[in-house]
Amino acid sequence: MELISLSGAPRTPELELIGSAIDDAMARIRFFRVAFGAARTGETLSERELREILTAIYGGGRLSVEWQVVGELPRQDAKLAFLLLNCAETALPLGGVLTVRYSGEEWDISGEGRKLTIDAEIWQVLDQPMSSDLSPPPSRVQFALLAKEAAVSGRRARLSLSPDMLQFTLSLTRA
């Protein structure tokens, strides 16, 4: 795309669409690198970089994220936050709002939408991280990875639902 734009070719709607798809794919790759990549001790991510990634992914779609975390984060904490987001977004198939808060020890992601879908079998992986009987499908591997990473950091994920099933909170607290 860069070579085409440098050649002076006119930007047609087709090229705009291809460029948009490339930008979306690059944003997902950045998100997945944080969520699924290695997190070495001492590495940090700036608030600006985290917000750029989240804006690129959630800035114009059916699902929005309100990132209420200030300052840079250790990469391990950013990894936990992105895994939490990746799990939480599965609960809002029609879109909604995810609000992310961090107190220095605990993560809270609250979600609200027109429809809430909680597959109890998959979410159960968070409650019983060491159970070999529970194995999510490949499309939901983030649940198993979140449970593992939470256990390594001495934390545990907990899900609470509102009575009307339109809101939820996913917390990561010290075990």
Side-chain angles (χ1 to χ4, degrees):
M1 286 302 299
E2 288 178 30
L3 290 175
I4 291 173
S5 67
L6 290 174
S7 73
R11 293 288 292 200
T12 64
E14 295 83 7
L15 288 178
E16 292 290 334
L17 185 61
I18 292 168
S20 176
I22 290 170
D23 291 343
D24 290 345
M26 293 302 293
R28 280 277 165 201
I29 289 170
R30 289 178 69 197
F31 180 89
F32 291 146
R33 280 185 178 155
V34 173
F36 297 102
R40 291 173 190 79
T41 304
E43 285 183 295
T44 61
L45 292 171
S46 71
E47 179 181 349
R48 180 189 57 77
E49 183 176 4
L50 294 168
R51 287 185 185 278
E52 282 176 4
I53 293 169
L54 295 172
T55 299
I57 293 176
Y58 300 107
R62 61 180 171 72
L63 189 61
S64 64
V65 171
E66 293 178 5
W67 184 257
Q68 297 181 357
V69 181
V70 179
E72 72 177 18
L73 288 175
R75 190 171 185 97
Q76 180 61 33
D77 285 332
K79 177 179 183 139
L80 289 169
F82 280 20
L83 285 169
L84 281 163
L85 273 171
N86 207 218
C87 291
E89 72 181 19
T90 67
L92 297 169
L94 300 180
V97 178
L98 293 170
T99 303
V100 183
R101 294 178 195 87
Y102 182 57
S103 69
E105 284 293 317
E106 297 184 6
W107 284 98
D108 282 314
I109 295 184
S110 56
E112 184 174 352
R114 292 182 292 143
K115 179 182 180 186
L116 193 62
T117 302
I118 302 290
D119 182 342
E121 192 173 311
I122 292 172
W123 285 84
Q124 189 177 5
V125 171
L126 296 177
D127 289 333
Q128 301 170 9
M130 299 306 179
S131 174
S132 60
D133 298 337
L134 302 172
S135 175
S139 64
R140 299 291 186 243
V141 70
Q142 66 268 32
F143 287 88
L145 188 55
L146 174 58
K148 177 183 172 256
E149 292 293 327
V152 166
S153 70
R155 296 178 172 124
R156 184 171 185 154
R158 299 184 201 298
L159 175 68
S160 58
L161 302 170
S162 69
D164 61 3
M165 289 291 291
L166 295 177
Q167 298 176 332
F168 71 93
T169 301
L170 179 56
S171 300
L172 196 58
T173 59
R174 289 285 170 197

